[in-house]
Amino acid sequence: MFLVGLSGGIASGKSTVVAILRELGCAVIDADVIAREVVQPHFKAYRQIVRYFGTEILLENGEINREALGNIIFSHPEKRQLLNSITHPEIQKEMLKQILKHFVLGCRYVILDIPLLFETNRLTKFMKYTVLVYCDPPTQLSRLRKRNGLSHAEAEARIASQLPLDEKRRLATHVIDNSGERESTRRQLCLWDGMLPLHGCGPWRGRGPLSPVGTYSGTSVNLGTLMSSQDNLFTGGIGDLPSPVSASPLSPG
């Protein structure tokens, strides 16, 4: 089994691509979804956050008020670090569990949907392929304005605050142009999936006993090593304020 890193930019249409990949039977692990799940009530990270930050960060229904927590860590970098030290291990554990689950189920590759894949540039070495969801600048601007109700200047500012898609394009091994209609994007994804040396998520064809080992660039890597870093590898940081760089677990989604 090998790993594929998937990323994009704000309003480039990565969610559409993920939906199509799942329709095609691909195994996709969404780092942002996991980051939001681990801070829900009854999870270990939730209990630790309430313990250190107090009940004033909670909504009436008991869930964490992301805006209130975001305001706290915005002006206190040490509290941001504390929050990340609580949540990142839980995110990593869950990602590892999901990777291993797909490995045991026989998936030949697993796609990791990681918003800051190219910004951090620390996980790319574990990926056999990296895929960028691209769209042309006018389309990106138009989609963002329509989706978020922003002015032209506000949308341009948000786009300018992140690594440009054209720069990410040079870093990716594969590019999916999502500037057009959904069917065009689907055709590109079908072609891409068909080009992979072990495409699809059918029965595993390898030999030997199952073990927590994936492959990248023809080499084996222990998946525990992949999850060992405490840095902001998978998301913009569970403690990040809502930002145009990535959908943060502190944003409403």
Side-chain angles (χ1 to χ4, degrees), residues 60-81:
E60 289 185 3
N61 63 2
E63 293 185 0
I64 290 174
N65 184 329
R66 292 168 180 157
E67 182 178 356
L69 185 55
N71 288 335
I72 292 173
I73 65 168
F74 180 78
S75 55
H76 298 88
E78 72 282 1
K79 292 187 177 181
R80 176 191 294 261
Q81 184 61 38

Side-chain angles (χ1 to χ4, degrees), residues 49 53 69-88 116 230 232 235-243 248 250:
I49 291 170
F53 290 89
L69 185 55
N71 288 335
I72 292 173
I73 65 168
F74 180 78
S75 55
H76 298 88
E78 72 282 1
K79 292 187 177 181
R80 176 191 294 261
Q81 184 61 38
L82 171 61
L83 184 60
N84 287 338
S85 71
I86 292 171
T87 56
H88 285 180
L116 297 183
Q230 294 298 312
N232 295 345
T235 69
I238 187 112
D240 284 353
L241 289 167
S243 76
S248 164
L250 291 184

Side-chain angles (χ1 to χ4, degrees), residues 65-189:
N65 184 329
R66 292 168 180 157
E67 182 178 356
L69 185 55
N71 288 335
I72 292 173
I73 65 168
F74 180 78
S75 55
H76 298 88
E78 72 282 1
K79 292 187 177 181
R80 176 191 294 261
Q81 184 61 38
L82 171 61
L83 184 60
N84 287 338
S85 71
I86 292 171
T87 56
H88 285 180
E90 301 307 310
I91 296 170
Q92 293 160 8
K93 286 178 190 176
E94 185 58 32
M95 289 195 76
L96 179 57
K97 282 167 56 179
Q98 292 193 25
I99 291 172
L100 292 177
K101 179 190 74 173
H102 290 302
F103 178 79
V104 171
L105 289 175
C107 289
R108 297 168 184 171
Y109 64 85
V110 174
I111 299 169
L112 301 183
D113 178 358
I114 303 173
L116 297 183
L117 178 65
F118 297 110
E119 281 81 355
T120 62
N121 200 30
R122 296 176 185 175
L123 280 182
T124 53
K125 64 183 178 181
F126 295 106
M127 308 298 163
K128 188 173 181 67
Y129 304 107
T130 54
V131 180
L132 173 70
V133 181
Y134 176 88
C135 71
D136 60 73
T139 300
Q140 184 183 26
L141 184 65
S142 174
R143 286 176 179 171
L144 181 57
R145 291 189 64 188
K146 182 177 180 180
R147 188 188 74 183
N148 290 32
L150 302 175
S151 68
H152 186 92
E154 289 171 332
E156 282 190 329
R158 291 205 180 188
I159 292 171
S161 70
Q162 59 179 214
L163 192 67
L165 283 175
D166 282 332
E167 187 171 340
K168 293 181 182 181
R169 191 172 191 168
R170 291 192 293 270
L171 299 172
T173 61
H174 294 79
V175 176
I176 300 298
D177 190 338
N178 192 38
S179 303
E181 298 298 321
R182 191 178 193 275
E183 188 54 38
S184 171
T185 300
R186 183 184 177 87
R187 285 195 298 270
Q188 293 177 65
L189 289 168

Side-chain angles (χ1 to χ4, degrees), residues 185-247:
T185 300
R186 183 184 177 87
R187 285 195 298 270
Q188 293 177 65
L189 289 168
C190 287
L191 288 172
W192 170 78
D193 180 62
M195 287 189 299
L196 295 183
L198 290 173
H199 65 89
C201 284
W204 173 250
R205 302 300 183 187
R207 297 180 179 180
L210 293 177
S211 60
V213 173
T215 62
Y216 68 97
S217 302
T219 329
S220 295
V221 57
N222 189 294
L223 294 179
T225 304
L226 174 64
M227 300 300 169
S228 63
S229 173
Q230 294 298 312
D231 294 323
N232 295 345
L233 296 179
F234 302 114
T235 69
I238 187 112
D240 284 353
L241 289 167
S243 76
V245 175
S246 72

